Amino acid sequence: MSIPVFSLESTRAPTELCFLGAKCQTDKSPFNPQGHRHPYTPFYSMFLATYKNKPVRFAEIGVAAGASVHMWCNYFKSGELFFFDRDENFLQNAAGFGYSNAKFGNMDVRSAESIRSNLAA
């Protein structure tokens, strides 16, 4: 028995967020010039473009090197953005970028209590 597959080709539907993601070198953009890339930004755009210039509250779990912190802080300039990771070095690095609309917190996604307490704030 085979599993049905649904596939969407997004590289022919570039968005502002795709180009911003590429500029920030996040792997979320299919146009990332360096390293691995995912086709997420076209889909994020479909869901989030309406909120771009609104005072949203937005959270991302997983900071790593911080490329997406740059992307989201430049996309949601009027928003209050929260970034979580369990690695303090990642958090300190991203906090050092100096975005006034960004807050950082330690979250361990293996712990339901850690997730609940961080997202409740």
Short mmCIF file of all heavy atoms in Angstrom, two decimals, residues 66-107:
data_model
loop_
_atom_site.label_atom_id
_atom_site.label_comp_id
_atom_site.label_asym_id
_atom_site.label_seq_id
_atom_site.Cartn_x
_atom_site.Cartn_y
_atom_site.Cartn_z
N GLY A 66 20.01 32.10 14.24
CA GLY A 66 19.27 33.35 14.32
C GLY A 66 18.85 33.96 12.99
O GLY A 66 18.33 35.07 12.97
N ALA A 67 19.06 33.28 11.88
CA ALA A 67 18.70 33.85 10.58
C ALA A 67 17.21 34.18 10.51
O ALA A 67 16.81 35.23 10.00
CB ALA A 67 19.09 32.91 9.45
N SER A 68 16.37 33.31 11.06
CA SER A 68 14.93 33.59 11.00
C SER A 68 14.53 34.70 11.97
O SER A 68 13.52 35.37 11.76
CB SER A 68 14.11 32.33 11.24
OG SER A 68 14.34 31.82 12.52
N VAL A 69 15.33 34.93 13.01
CA VAL A 69 15.07 36.07 13.90
C VAL A 69 15.19 37.35 13.09
O VAL A 69 14.32 38.24 13.16
CB VAL A 69 16.05 36.08 15.10
CG1 VAL A 69 15.92 37.37 15.89
CG2 VAL A 69 15.83 34.86 15.99
N HIS A 70 16.24 37.45 12.28
CA HIS A 70 16.39 38.61 11.39
C HIS A 70 15.18 38.73 10.46
O HIS A 70 14.61 39.82 10.29
CB HIS A 70 17.65 38.49 10.54
CG HIS A 70 18.93 38.69 11.26
ND1 HIS A 70 19.27 39.88 11.87
CD2 HIS A 70 19.98 37.86 11.45
CE1 HIS A 70 20.47 39.77 12.41
NE2 HIS A 70 20.93 38.55 12.17
N MET A 71 14.79 37.62 9.87
CA MET A 71 13.68 37.65 8.91
C MET A 71 12.39 38.11 9.57
O MET A 71 11.73 39.04 9.09
CB MET A 71 13.48 36.26 8.28
CG MET A 71 12.34 36.22 7.27
SD MET A 71 12.09 34.58 6.55
CE MET A 71 11.25 33.75 7.90
N TRP A 72 12.00 37.48 10.67
CA TRP A 72 10.73 37.80 11.31
C TRP A 72 10.72 39.21 11.88
O TRP A 72 9.70 39.92 11.80
CB TRP A 72 10.37 36.78 12.37
CG TRP A 72 10.06 35.43 11.82
CD1 TRP A 72 10.66 34.24 12.15
CD2 TRP A 72 9.07 35.10 10.83
NE1 TRP A 72 10.11 33.22 11.42
CE2 TRP A 72 9.13 33.70 10.61
CE3 TRP A 72 8.14 35.84 10.11
CZ2 TRP A 72 8.30 33.04 9.70
CZ3 TRP A 72 7.31 35.18 9.19
CH2 TRP A 72 7.40 33.80 9.01
N CYS A 73 11.83 39.66 12.47
CA CYS A 73 11.86 41.01 13.05
C CYS A 73 11.78 42.08 11.96
O CYS A 73 11.24 43.16 12.20
CB CYS A 73 13.12 41.20 13.89
SG CYS A 73 13.06 40.32 15.47
N ASN A 74 12.27 41.78 10.79
CA ASN A 74 12.16 42.73 9.68
C ASN A 74 10.84 42.62 8.94
O ASN A 74 10.43 43.55 8.26
CB ASN A 74 13.33 42.55 8.71
CG ASN A 74 14.59 43.16 9.25
OD1 ASN A 74 14.73 44.37 9.26
ND2 ASN A 74 15.49 42.33 9.74
N TYR A 75 10.17 41.50 9.06
CA TYR A 75 8.87 41.31 8.41
C TYR A 75 7.75 41.90 9.28
O TYR A 75 6.92 42.65 8.80
CB TYR A 75 8.63 39.82 8.15
CG TYR A 75 7.42 39.54 7.31
CD1 TYR A 75 7.43 39.82 5.95
CD2 TYR A 75 6.28 38.98 7.85
CE1 TYR A 75 6.32 39.56 5.15
CE2 TYR A 75 5.17 38.71 7.07
CZ TYR A 75 5.20 39.00 5.72
OH TYR A 75 4.10 38.74 4.94
N PHE A 76 7.74 41.54 10.55
CA PHE A 76 6.72 42.03 11.49
C PHE A 76 7.30 43.19 12.30
O PHE A 76 7.54 43.08 13.49
CB PHE A 76 6.29 40.92 12.45
CG PHE A 76 5.50 39.82 11.82
CD1 PHE A 76 5.93 38.51 11.90
CD2 PHE A 76 4.30 40.08 11.17
CE1 PHE A 76 5.19 37.47 11.35
CE2 PHE A 76 3.55 39.06 10.60
CZ PHE A 76 4.00 37.76 10.69
N LYS A 77 7.52 44.31 11.67
CA LYS A 77 8.16 45.46 12.34
C LYS A 77 7.30 46.05 13.44
O LYS A 77 7.80 46.65 14.38
CB LYS A 77 8.53 46.52 11.31
CG LYS A 77 9.63 46.05 10.39
CD LYS A 77 10.02 47.10 9.40
CE LYS A 77 11.12 46.57 8.50
NZ LYS A 77 11.50 47.51 7.48
N SER A 78 5.98 45.89 13.33
CA SER A 78 5.07 46.43 14.35
C SER A 78 4.69 45.39 15.39
O SER A 78 3.87 45.65 16.25
CB SER A 78 3.79 46.96 13.69
OG SER A 78 4.09 47.95 12.76
N GLY A 79 5.25 44.21 15.28
CA GLY A 79 4.85 43.11 16.15
C GLY A 79 5.69 42.98 17.39
O GLY A 79 6.74 43.59 17.54
N GLU A 80 5.18 42.15 18.28
CA GLU A 80 5.90 41.74 19.48
C GLU A 80 6.28 40.29 19.24
O GLU A 80 5.41 39.42 19.13
CB GLU A 80 5.00 41.88 20.71
CG GLU A 80 5.66 41.56 21.99
CD GLU A 80 4.73 41.73 23.19
OE1 GLU A 80 3.50 41.82 23.01
OE2 GLU A 80 5.24 41.75 24.31
N LEU A 81 7.56 40.03 19.11
CA LEU A 81 8.03 38.71 18.69
C LEU A 81 8.74 37.99 19.82
O LEU A 81 9.54 38.60 20.55
CB LEU A 81 8.96 38.85 17.48
CG LEU A 81 8.26 39.14 16.15
CD1 LEU A 81 7.64 40.51 16.12
CD2 LEU A 81 9.21 39.00 15.01
N PHE A 82 8.46 36.71 19.92
CA PHE A 82 9.03 35.86 20.96
C PHE A 82 9.78 34.72 20.29
O PHE A 82 9.25 34.06 19.40
CB PHE A 82 7.92 35.30 21.85
CG PHE A 82 7.10 36.35 22.53
CD1 PHE A 82 6.01 36.90 21.89
CD2 PHE A 82 7.43 36.79 23.80
CE1 PHE A 82 5.25 37.88 22.49
CE2 PHE A 82 6.67 37.77 24.42
CZ PHE A 82 5.58 38.32 23.76
N PHE A 83 10.99 34.50 20.75
CA PHE A 83 11.82 33.43 20.19
C PHE A 83 12.28 32.54 21.33
O PHE A 83 12.74 33.02 22.37
CB PHE A 83 13.02 34.02 19.45
CG PHE A 83 12.62 34.88 18.29
CD1 PHE A 83 12.50 36.25 18.43
CD2 PHE A 83 12.32 34.30 17.07
CE1 PHE A 83 12.11 37.05 17.37
CE2 PHE A 83 11.93 35.09 16.00
CZ PHE A 83 11.82 36.46 16.15
N PHE A 84 12.14 31.23 21.11
CA PHE A 84 12.46 30.27 22.16
C PHE A 84 13.45 29.23 21.66
O PHE A 84 13.43 28.83 20.49
CB PHE A 84 11.18 29.55 22.61
CG PHE A 84 10.14 30.47 23.17
CD1 PHE A 84 9.07 30.87 22.40
CD2 PHE A 84 10.24 30.94 24.47
CE1 PHE A 84 8.11 31.72 22.90
CE2 PHE A 84 9.28 31.79 24.99
CZ PHE A 84 8.22 32.19 24.20
N ASP A 85 14.29 28.79 22.57
CA ASP A 85 15.21 27.70 22.29
C ASP A 85 15.64 27.15 23.64
O ASP A 85 15.48 27.81 24.67
CB ASP A 85 16.43 28.19 21.50
CG ASP A 85 17.06 27.08 20.67
OD1 ASP A 85 17.60 26.12 21.26
OD2 ASP A 85 17.00 27.16 19.44
N ARG A 86 16.19 25.96 23.65
CA ARG A 86 16.70 25.40 24.91
C ARG A 86 18.20 25.66 25.04
O ARG A 86 18.78 25.40 26.08
CB ARG A 86 16.38 23.92 25.01
CG ARG A 86 17.11 23.07 24.02
CD ARG A 86 16.79 21.62 24.19
NE ARG A 86 17.64 20.85 23.30
CZ ARG A 86 17.43 19.63 22.99
NH1 ARG A 86 16.41 18.99 23.49
NH2 ARG A 86 18.24 19.00 22.18
N ASP A 87 18.81 26.17 23.99
CA ASP A 87 20.25 26.43 24.00
C ASP A 87 20.50 27.91 24.32
O ASP A 87 20.17 28.79 23.53
CB ASP A 87 20.84 26.08 22.63
CG ASP A 87 22.35 26.17 22.61
OD1 ASP A 87 22.91 27.22 23.02
OD2 ASP A 87 22.99 25.20 22.16
N GLU A 88 21.07 28.16 25.49
CA GLU A 88 21.33 29.54 25.95
C GLU A 88 22.27 30.29 25.01
O GLU A 88 22.14 31.50 24.83
CB GLU A 88 21.89 29.55 27.37
CG GLU A 88 20.84 29.36 28.43
CD GLU A 88 19.78 30.46 28.47
OE1 GLU A 88 20.10 31.64 28.19
OE2 GLU A 88 18.62 30.13 28.75
N ASN A 89 23.23 29.59 24.42
CA ASN A 89 24.15 30.25 23.49
C ASN A 89 23.41 30.78 22.27
O ASN A 89 23.69 31.88 21.79
CB ASN A 89 25.27 29.31 23.06
CG ASN A 89 26.22 28.99 24.20
OD1 ASN A 89 26.51 29.84 25.03
ND2 ASN A 89 26.67 27.75 24.26
N PHE A 90 22.47 29.99 21.73
CA PHE A 90 21.66 30.45 20.60
C PHE A 90 20.86 31.68 20.99
O PHE A 90 20.78 32.66 20.25
CB PHE A 90 20.69 29.36 20.14
CG PHE A 90 21.34 28.19 19.43
CD1 PHE A 90 20.62 27.02 19.26
CD2 PHE A 90 22.63 28.24 18.93
CE1 PHE A 90 21.17 25.93 18.60
CE2 PHE A 90 23.20 27.16 18.28
CZ PHE A 90 22.46 26.00 18.11
N LEU A 91 20.25 31.64 22.17
CA LEU A 91 19.42 32.76 22.63
C LEU A 91 20.25 34.02 22.84
O LEU A 91 19.84 35.11 22.43
CB LEU A 91 18.70 32.38 23.92
CG LEU A 91 17.64 31.28 23.78
CD1 LEU A 91 17.18 30.81 25.15
CD2 LEU A 91 16.46 31.78 22.95
N GLN A 92 21.40 33.88 23.48
CA GLN A 92 22.26 35.05 23.71
C GLN A 92 22.75 35.64 22.40
O GLN A 92 22.80 36.87 22.24
CB GLN A 92 23.43 34.67 24.61
CG GLN A 92 23.03 34.44 26.05
CD GLN A 92 24.20 34.00 26.91
OE1 GLN A 92 25.35 33.96 26.49
NE2 GLN A 92 23.90 33.68 28.16
N ASN A 93 23.10 34.79 21.45
CA ASN A 93 23.55 35.27 20.15
C ASN A 93 22.44 36.07 19.47
O ASN A 93 22.66 37.19 19.01
CB ASN A 93 23.96 34.08 19.26
CG ASN A 93 24.37 34.52 17.88
OD1 ASN A 93 25.31 35.30 17.71
ND2 ASN A 93 23.65 34.04 16.88
N ALA A 94 21.24 35.53 19.43
CA ALA A 94 20.12 36.20 18.76
C ALA A 94 19.69 37.46 19.51
O ALA A 94 19.35 38.47 18.89
CB ALA A 94 18.95 35.24 18.61
N ALA A 95 19.74 37.44 20.82
CA ALA A 95 19.40 38.63 21.60
C ALA A 95 20.39 39.76 21.31
O ALA A 95 20.03 40.94 21.36
CB ALA A 95 19.37 38.30 23.09
N GLY A 96 21.60 39.40 20.96
CA GLY A 96 22.63 40.39 20.63
C GLY A 96 22.39 41.13 19.33
O GLY A 96 23.08 42.11 19.03
N PHE A 97 21.42 40.68 18.54
CA PHE A 97 21.11 41.37 17.28
C PHE A 97 20.51 42.75 17.54
O PHE A 97 20.55 43.61 16.68
CB PHE A 97 20.15 40.56 16.41
CG PHE A 97 20.67 39.22 15.97
CD1 PHE A 97 19.79 38.23 15.58
CD2 PHE A 97 22.03 38.91 15.95
CE1 PHE A 97 20.23 36.98 15.17
CE2 PHE A 97 22.48 37.67 15.55
CZ PHE A 97 21.59 36.71 15.15
N GLY A 98 19.91 42.93 18.72
CA GLY A 98 19.42 44.24 19.12
C GLY A 98 18.06 44.66 18.61
O GLY A 98 17.75 45.85 18.57
N TYR A 99 17.21 43.72 18.26
CA TYR A 99 15.86 44.07 17.81
C TYR A 99 15.00 44.44 19.01
O TYR A 99 14.84 43.65 19.94
CB TYR A 99 15.21 42.91 17.05
CG TYR A 99 15.85 42.65 15.70
CD1 TYR A 99 16.64 41.54 15.50
CD2 TYR A 99 15.65 43.54 14.65
CE1 TYR A 99 17.23 41.30 14.26
CE2 TYR A 99 16.24 43.30 13.42
CZ TYR A 99 17.03 42.19 13.23
OH TYR A 99 17.62 41.95 12.01
N SER A 100 14.42 45.62 18.97
CA SER A 100 13.62 46.09 20.11
C SER A 100 12.28 45.36 20.20
O SER A 100 11.66 45.35 21.26
CB SER A 100 13.38 47.60 20.01
OG SER A 100 12.67 47.91 18.83
N ASN A 101 11.82 44.76 19.12
CA ASN A 101 10.54 44.05 19.14
C ASN A 101 10.68 42.56 19.42
O ASN A 101 9.72 41.80 19.29
CB ASN A 101 9.78 44.27 17.82
CG ASN A 101 10.51 43.75 16.59
OD1 ASN A 101 11.73 43.60 16.58
ND2 ASN A 101 9.77 43.50 15.54
N ALA A 102 11.87 42.12 19.83
CA ALA A 102 12.12 40.69 20.06
C ALA A 102 12.40 40.40 21.53
O ALA A 102 13.12 41.14 22.20
CB ALA A 102 13.30 40.23 19.22
N LYS A 103 11.81 39.31 22.00
CA LYS A 103 12.06 38.80 23.35
C LYS A 103 12.47 37.35 23.23
O LYS A 103 12.03 36.64 22.32
CB LYS A 103 10.79 38.93 24.20
CG LYS A 103 10.37 40.37 24.40
CD LYS A 103 9.11 40.46 25.20
CE LYS A 103 8.73 41.93 25.33
NZ LYS A 103 7.43 42.13 25.90
N PHE A 104 13.30 36.90 24.15
CA PHE A 104 13.86 35.56 24.06
C PHE A 104 13.64 34.80 25.36
O PHE A 104 13.69 35.38 26.44
CB PHE A 104 15.37 35.65 23.76
CG PHE A 104 15.64 36.34 22.46
CD1 PHE A 104 15.79 37.72 22.40
CD2 PHE A 104 15.71 35.62 21.28
CE1 PHE A 104 16.02 38.37 21.20
CE2 PHE A 104 15.92 36.26 20.07
CZ PHE A 104 16.08 37.64 20.03
N GLY A 105 13.37 33.50 25.22
CA GLY A 105 13.15 32.68 26.39
C GLY A 105 13.63 31.26 26.19
O GLY A 105 13.64 30.74 25.07
N ASN A 106 14.00 30.63 27.28
CA ASN A 106 14.45 29.25 27.25
C ASN A 106 13.24 28.32 27.30
O ASN A 106 12.41 28.43 28.19
CB ASN A 106 15.39 28.98 28.42
CG ASN A 106 16.07 27.65 28.29
OD1 ASN A 106 15.42 26.62 28.34
ND2 ASN A 106 17.37 27.67 28.13
N MET A 107 13.14 27.45 26.30
CA MET A 107 12.04 26.50 26.24
C MET A 107 12.59 25.13 25.84
O MET A 107 13.34 25.03 24.88
CB MET A 107 10.98 26.92 25.23
CG MET A 107 9.83 25.93 25.09
SD MET A 107 8.73 26.28 23.70
CE MET A 107 7.92 27.76 24.25
#
